[in-house]
Amino acid sequence: MEKQSLSLASPSVSPLEDVPVSFPFPFPPYPIQTALMQSLYSTLQQGKVGIFESPTGTGKSLSVICGSLTWLRDYEESLSRQLAVAEAEAERVVADHERGGDWIAAYTEKRKQESSRSELKAKVEAHAARRARGKERAERIACGQGEERGGGFGEKNGRQASGEERDEDAVEEEKDHLVRIYYCSRTHSQLSQFSEELRRSPFGQSVSVATLASRQHYCVHAPVRQLRSAALINDKCVQMQKDKAEECVDEPKKRTSGCPMLRGGRVQALSDQMLSRVMDIEEAVHTGTAMLAS
């Protein structure tokens, strides 16, 4: 197993190649925090698996947040540069072969370079699309359309805004080229603490994050939530999602979803709110409950 040794004496100088000497941090980091961020950054940059250990009280969560998100920021910024370099290199190599009269080698090299560039281009476009959706989300909230019924955010508008009408294959392909960071913990209280640390970090206003949990924790429909049993809640939730032919009592001819959260664009409105600012489970449930009551 390869072992890296980090010097803690001088946090302004990185002993690792292609690793920042400083990181965005809410306060001047301790040497041990800088060392952890640099080692984490290097591990991500090389696509390796890392196991890190640090004493209690050394700010591990904040160091993991700032180290990993700095790498993600730099990675996204590097994609466009890599694409530009790859295109310039492809043109140079093909031109060299053409000048030498070897059109077969030129054609082969061109196909090879196009394959390499297409992967990079797909990544650049996927990350650009994610940034564009973030801007659209902010505009919807600013216009009052991200609040349940507050700005006339109807079900049709919700589908269009969430991109449900886009080609499903294109959506899945885009997901394949996006980089996501997953933070796992044993308890929900630790996830709430992590959300608080993320809010404190310099990335708190610029990152989109969602806390993943079961229906037992996230369901805001009182009749289902009162079932308490996780198995019963799951079964009832699935049944209500499938029951899209249920008739309204007041409007017999109108068809609606069995789950009230799937009506009136509530899901998209809640998604906008959750992805526009860092929320823990309790805050997300409170926001969803308020939307359901309005």
Side-chain angles (χ1 to χ4, degrees):
M1 178 181 292
E2 181 179 347
K3 183 178 179 181
Q4 293 179 338
S5 176
L6 297 179
S7 171
L8 304 184
S10 178
S12 61
V13 178
S14 171
L16 305 173
E17 293 185 4
D18 300 324
V19 174
V21 295
S22 62
F23 293 79
F25 216 72
F27 51 83
Y30 294 110
I32 193 172
Q33 292 173 320
T34 299
L36 175 56
M37 290 186 287
Q38 289 176 337
S39 189
L40 174 60
Y41 188 105
S42 176
T43 300
L44 293 171
Q45 186 75 354
Q46 298 176 66
K48 293 184 176 180
V49 175
I51 300 177
F52 305 96
E53 183 178 15
S54 187
T56 301
T58 54
K60 292 185 292 293
S61 295
L62 199 53
S63 299
V64 168
I65 289 170
C66 294
S68 60
L69 292 181
T70 297
W71 174 84
L72 181 60
R73 180 202 64 190
D74 293 349
Y75 169 78
E76 291 182 346
E77 291 177 353
S78 72
L79 289 176
S80 296
R81 294 195 299 269
Q82 292 178 43
L83 181 59
V85 171
E87 290 177 341
E89 178 64 14
E91 293 178 359
R92 184 191 66 79
V93 172
V94 171
D96 288 346
H97 284 301
E98 290 178 344
R99 281 195 297 269
D102 192 346
W103 63 269
I104 296 179
Y107 177 78
T108 302
E109 186 64 28
K110 184 177 180 180
R111 292 294 301 272
K112 179 181 177 181
Q113 295 292 339
E114 285 177 351
S115 176
S116 176
R117 291 201 310 274
S118 64
E119 179 71 14
L120 268 175
K121 187 176 181 180
K123 291 180 180 180
V124 171
E125 292 175 347
H127 285 276
R130 179 164 65 180
R131 290 192 295 271
R133 286 196 299 274
K135 292 180 180 179
E136 292 172 0
R137 185 186 308 119
E139 291 173 358
R140 287 198 299 273
I141 294 177
C143 294
Q145 294 179 339
E147 298 289 346
E148 163 63 11
R149 297 182 182 178
F153 192 87
E155 190 169 355
K156 180 178 180 181
N157 290 334
R159 287 195 301 269
Q160 292 173 343
S162 63
E164 289 179 11
E165 296 182 356
R166 291 188 298 163
D167 181 76
E168 292 185 2
D169 292 337
V171 173
E172 290 302 317
E173 182 179 355
E174 180 182 297
K175 289 181 180 179
D176 291 339
H177 296 292
L178 287 175
V179 174
R180 293 180 176 84
I181 295 176
Y182 291 87
Y183 177 85
C184 303
S185 180
R186 292 184 296 106
T187 65
H188 288 102
S189 61
Q190 289 177 337
L191 291 177
S192 296
Q193 180 183 359
F194 186 81
S195 297
E196 181 61 31
E197 292 292 325
L198 182 55
R199 278 191 286 262
R200 291 177 55 208
S201 77
F203 299 93
Q205 301 297 321
S206 60
V207 68
S208 293
V209 60
T211 303
L212 305 180
S214 67
R215 293 185 177 96
Q216 188 176 18
H217 289 90
Y218 265 136
C219 180
V220 296
H221 189 34
V224 177
R225 192 177 183 87
Q226 291 173 357
L227 295 175
R228 299 190 181 280
S229 166
L232 292 176
I233 290 175
N234 285 337
D235 292 343
K236 187 62 177 178
C237 181
V238 172
Q239 176 189 341
M240 295 185 74
Q241 289 184 68
K242 291 180 178 179
D243 189 13
K244 295 185 178 181
E246 181 182 354
E247 292 186 0
C248 289
V249 176
D250 298 332
E251 300 177 69
K253 293 183 179 180
K254 184 178 179 180
R255 303 287 182 176
T256 64
S257 167
C259 177
M261 274 302 292
L262 298 182
R263 304 174 194 162
R266 288 187 176 101
V267 170
Q268 178 60 36
L270 180 58
S271 174
D272 283 346
Q273 294 295 323
M274 290 182 66
L275 295 178
S276 65
R277 60 188 179 92
V278 179
M279 287 188 184
D280 57 24
I281 295 176
E282 289 73 18
E283 291 172 309
V285 169
H286 177 77
T287 303
T289 301
M291 288 182 175
L292 197 59
S294 62

